Amino acid sequence: MSSAPKIRVQDVHKRFGKKRVLNGVTFDVAAGESLVIIGGSGTGKSVTLKCILGLMQPEQGVIEIDGARMTGAPKQQRTALRRKIGMLFQGGALFDSLTVWENVAFALTEGRGKARAEAKPVALEKLAMVGLDEEVAKLFPSELSGGMQKRVALARAIAANPEILFFDEPTTGLDPIVADIINELIVASVKRLGATAVSITHDMASARKIATRIAMLHEGRIIWSGPAADIDHSGNPYVEQFVHGRAEGPIQMQVRAL
């Protein structure tokens, strides 16, 4: 059995104008692992995901999926690698003009050329996995609560049985009870698919629930990485400040005086 990582990110740098966002980000994700990247707003978490997806090209560094390069690869290769990935976007990113089941089936009908008649039973099956029935499938996203929209977005992410799942702030805007339900659904979905997962969040309750390993991104670098169980005794002052939500510590926030 190969010991090569499912995802390899090596010395990745990304800047926008004079602003350096990623400054040598390096980490591996093993097959079947659930890695959660934590860090404050603006630390480069979303940019890291977009670079892995090939939606942004870093100025320096290597990103590989199953040993195949995403960075600098031809468009056809990047597209083929993306087919291994399902993603739950921060805002859900559902299409308002499509019904719930059509949203879930979108990756099948548009991405893989399945006929609607073939795709609909799959969409209904995935909706059932996240606790939504056929009556909900007929509705439009605007008719759903925020928590239900997240469930639909999760069903869409797993519709094509991806090998890799990305979760971008999956519990943003949800109350603690609904957020915990979403976290449990994420854990169950990843386990059912046998997928590798990468999540980004600043919600420590979510990180603790869905991670097997946690890494912290700060000033464009991974400054700590370890098993999720070690997060509360990392020995890293940056991690401890973030995890416990303390204003005092090495992470200094710029606050404009009123």
Side-chain angles (χ1 to χ4, degrees):
M1 182 180 294
S2 172
S3 60
K6 190 73 175 176
I7 302 170
R8 178 172 177 254
V9 178
Q10 183 69 36
D11 194 30
V12 169
H13 295 249
K14 181 65 181 176
R15 65 166 67 237
F16 298 96
K18 294 182 179 180
K19 182 175 176 59
R20 186 186 297 274
V21 179
L22 303 182
N23 190 27
V25 171
T26 297
F27 61 87
D28 289 345
V29 188
E33 185 175 32
S34 180
L35 173 70
V36 173
I37 301 174
I38 61 172
S41 300
T43 54
K45 301 189 302 297
S46 291
V47 172
T48 299
L49 276 194
K50 288 174 182 176
C51 286
I52 297 173
L53 280 164
L55 301 176
M56 289 182 176
Q57 289 299 313
E59 288 81 34
Q60 179 182 325
V62 174
I63 297 171
E64 295 177 347
I65 295 175
D66 284 332
R69 285 182 70 118
M70 180 65 86
T71 44
K75 182 179 179 180
Q76 187 175 5
Q77 180 168 313
R78 294 199 307 272
T79 300
L81 291 174
R82 283 194 202 111
R83 284 176 176 249
K84 298 185 177 190
I85 299 169
M87 181 156 183
L88 191 157
F89 296 91
Q90 181 173 343
L94 301 177
F95 299 107
D96 293 337
S97 60
L98 301 181
T99 63
V100 163
W101 82 260
E102 288 170 328
N103 266 280
V104 175
F106 188 81
L108 303 174
T109 56
E110 301 301 317
R112 288 165 175 76
K114 273 188 179 290
R116 285 167 59 88
E118 281 185 274
K120 187 172 183 178
V122 177
L124 295 177
E125 176 191 357
K126 301 305 182 185
L127 285 166
M129 287 180 182
V130 298
L132 299 176
D133 60 24
E134 290 193 37
E135 291 305 309
V136 174
K138 300 172 186 176
L139 301 176
F140 287 89
S142 60
E143 300 176 275
L144 306 179
S145 67
M148 290 176 77
Q149 288 183 16
K150 285 282 187 177
R151 290 187 188 212
V152 175
L154 176 56
R156 183 177 63 183
I158 65 174
N161 297 325
E163 299 175 30
I164 300 168
L165 282 163
F166 285 165
F167 302 104
D168 184 357
E169 300 285 3
T171 56
T172 294
L174 303 178
D175 70 58
I177 294 174
V178 175
D180 194 52
I181 291 170
I182 296 299
N183 288 331
E184 289 186 349
L185 287 170
I186 286 172
V187 171
S189 298
V190 171
K191 184 176 181 180
R192 186 180 291 114
L193 291 175
T196 301
V198 179
S199 310
I200 59 174
T201 188
H202 59 264
D203 179 349
M204 287 310 305
S206 182
R208 287 184 173 94
K209 189 95 174 189
I210 66 180
T212 55
R213 184 162 62 93
I214 296 176
M216 181 163 175
L217 187 63
H218 179 67
E219 294 186 345
R221 292 177 180 271
I222 299 294
I223 61 168
W224 182 86
S225 177
D230 292 349
I231 192 66
D232 290 309
H233 46 89
S234 66
N236 184 300
Y238 292 86
V239 176
E240 290 181 3
Q241 181 187 356
F242 183 85
V243 166
H244 298 290
R246 299 181 183 131
E248 298 296 323
I251 303 172
Q252 297 298 310
M253 304 298 293
Q254 296 298 319
V255 180
R256 182 179 296 176
L258 297 176

